[in-house]
Amino acid sequence: MIEIAKKLSPTSRISTINFANPEFGKDCSDHMFNAVYRNGEWTNPEIIPFGDITFSPAMLALHYGQSVFEGMKAFRMHDGRISIFRPHSNLERFNRSLDRMCMPTIPEDLFFAALIELLKVDQDWVPSAPGTSLYIRPFCFASEPRLKIKIADQYQFMILMSPAGKYFGNPYRLKVETEYTRTAEGGTGYAKCAGNYGSSFYPVKKALEEGFDQVLWTDAKEHRYIDEAGMMNIMFMVDGKLITPALNSAILEGITRDSVLTIARDKGIEVEERRIAVDELEIYLREGRVTEVFGTGTAAVVAPVKLIRIGKVDYEIPVPDENSFQNKAYSILNDIRLGLAPDTHGWNFII
Ligand code: PMP
């Protein structure tokens, strides 16, 4: 059993938070977790009051980008217990990302001891209003001060938590991106490393200026095959079949993606994970065979797409009604998380 030191905050900010509709990412809970990697091992795991930390401006993460993060959610179940959704999957992806960035992986016992203790300390921060959750952000970065370009020898693993409201995004207008790339096969797309996000801001900013909400990334070599949509995986319902790009090294393996595909298979819907060419999609859109397009991700769970621009042509996607697969998948996932439907796949990790 890992011993985690605790320095608790003498005061709490909890009374200042609007738990009915918290603004995503604005407020962190009263405490945070911190551990230091040095001399080849994780040491000093501690829970401390949330607040500023100090670093050398020569910290390697700032200069050479060894920085990796995760995102998952804890829910207040209908009986008042707290459950984290599929944290083992997040840890597996965290460790794949860390490995890709030559950073030390996080042992399972450390990860779970940190999560459980932090959630126990700040359990009152898990909101209960419909659609709300406590967003959990584990992250790791190279903290060694050194200007030389090198793989760092010293890292920090931290966890922050922030109350999140129900996601009320408008349906997305997507532009198929054929000029810029997020990443390439062989690159870091499958890793949740900070640089992937910083480098995607520019093409996404341009798309926003053109009146879109996000870009639909295509492969770096030919701009012919669809990868994912902004910060979500993408799914198409075509002729009653659920089609999504097969995973490759340029795509982040979404945990929501896997959950939604599993729900589709459970419901007897045919699922295809394969390469999807933009021109193939265009034929389906032209022939009116696409009944739903949606993104999947931890923030929104499912996010409907209402328009796709391919080249110079805009294709409208039907508005999903309550019988749409995406809305059913959302309800099923929500019911499982709240303990209102049987958790047949063992997705809830109850604290
Ligand atoms: N793709 C990218 C690039 C993302 O940042 C995310 C969000 N983590 C996803 C897909 C969806 O992943 P998940 O369902 O695990 O949130």
Side-chain angles (χ1 to χ4, degrees):
M1 195 43 201
I2 291 197
E3 275 298 311
I4 296 184
K6 291 193 190 100
K7 285 181 212 134
L8 299 188
S9 170
T11 56
S12 171
R13 284 171 285 106
I14 200 162
S15 63
T16 66
I17 309 296
N18 170 14
F19 279 101
N21 188 21
E23 185 185 326
F24 183 78
K26 181 171 165 276
D27 295 292
C28 285
S29 71
D30 285 326
H31 297 90
M32 59 190 186
F33 173 80
N34 184 47
V36 176
Y37 184 88
R38 65 165 79 84
N39 302 325
E41 59 178 348
W42 286 106
T43 60
N44 293 75
E46 56 176 0
I47 287 172
I48 50 179
F50 172 82
D52 293 351
I53 46 178
T54 56
F55 282 107
S56 162
M59 171 167 94
L60 280 167
L62 295 177
H63 300 268
Y64 310 119
Q66 278 183 295
S67 178
V68 157
F69 67 101
E70 264 305 324
M72 57 191 170
K73 283 176 170 174
F75 296 86
R76 179 74 62 186
M77 298 176 83
H78 77 108
D79 60 4
R81 288 182 301 169
I82 294 169
S83 156
I84 312 178
F85 188 68
R86 303 191 67 176
H88 291 87
S89 302
N90 288 89
L91 175 61
E92 281 169 20
R93 187 172 67 187
F94 199 22
N95 281 338
R96 282 199 297 277
S97 304
L98 290 166
D99 196 45
R100 177 63 178 81
M101 299 302 290
C102 294
M103 297 164 72
T105 54
I106 309 292
E108 185 170 334
D109 56 353
L110 174 63
F111 187 78
F112 279 95
L115 261 187
I116 292 167
E117 291 306 314
L118 187 59
L119 263 168
K120 278 188 186 159
V121 168
D122 280 345
Q123 55 183 292
D124 294 342
W125 285 77
V126 183
S128 58
T132 61
S133 58
L134 187 66
Y135 181 79
I136 303 174
R137 165 57 59 83
F139 60 110
C140 184
F141 53 94
S143 52
E144 180 186 346
R146 192 67 55 101
L147 284 182
K148 181 182 165 194
I149 299 184
K150 71 185 277 277
I151 297 171
D153 288 324
Q154 192 184 306
Y155 297 87
Q156 223 146 305
F157 163 40
M158 302 189 72
I159 305 178
L160 303 179
M161 305 197 297
S162 174
K166 189 171 165 58
Y167 180 86
F168 281 118
N170 286 325
Y172 277 90
R173 296 163 55 89
L174 292 183
K175 171 194 164 188
V176 172
E177 181 59 67
T178 53
E179 188 179 356
Y180 300 100
T181 51
R182 186 181 89 92
T183 175
E185 283 232 47
T188 56
Y190 73 94
K192 212 163 159 55
C193 55
N196 287 349
Y197 295 81
S199 64
S200 68
F201 288 162
Y202 183 75
V204 172
K205 178 172 154 251
K206 293 197 89 165
L208 290 176
E209 284 164 6
E210 292 166 29
F212 300 96
D213 303 298
Q214 257 304 346
V215 298
L216 194 53
W217 298 111
T218 50
D219 73 284
K221 225 190 241 168
E222 299 178 82
H223 288 302
R224 184 157 175 230
Y225 298 101
I226 295 166
D227 277 346
E228 50 183 323
M231 275 140 246
M232 292 187 291
N233 296 109
I234 187 83
M235 302 202 179
F236 306 93
M237 189 66 86
V238 183
D239 299 333
K241 266 189 266 180
L242 189 62
I243 309 180
T244 194
L247 296 171
N248 63 45
S249 61
I251 296 180
L252 190 82
E253 182 173 352
I255 290 146
T256 321
R257 175 188 182 278
D258 182 71
S259 309
V260 169
L261 294 181
T262 303
I263 287 171
R265 291 186 177 110
D266 286 352
K267 291 178 73 64
I269 293 170
E270 202 179 319
V271 171
E272 289 182 2
E273 293 179 66
R274 60 173 173 84
R275 286 220 295 195
I276 307 165
V278 175
D279 40 11
E280 178 192 348
L281 174 67
E282 193 164 16
I283 292 170
Y284 299 151
L285 287 166
R286 232 187 268 138
E287 294 176 352
R289 294 159 62 187
V290 182
T291 49
E292 297 184 44
V293 179
F294 55 96
T296 64
T298 297
V301 185
V302 294
V305 172
K306 70 170 180 191
L307 180 139
I308 301 182
R309 159 86 52 98
I310 302 178
K312 292 196 165 59
V313 184
D314 284 344
Y315 293 94
E316 304 264 348
I317 316 294
V319 179
D321 60 21
E322 72 271 21
N323 291 319
S324 63
F325 169 70
Q326 62 189 287
N327 283 338
K328 282 192 193 141
Y330 175 85
S331 304
I332 291 169
L333 264 182
N334 204 39
D335 285 353
I336 294 173
R337 289 161 160 180
L338 301 184
L340 297 168
D343 179 19
T344 50
H345 299 286
W347 287 340
N348 289 334
F349 180 81
I350 296 171
I351 300 291

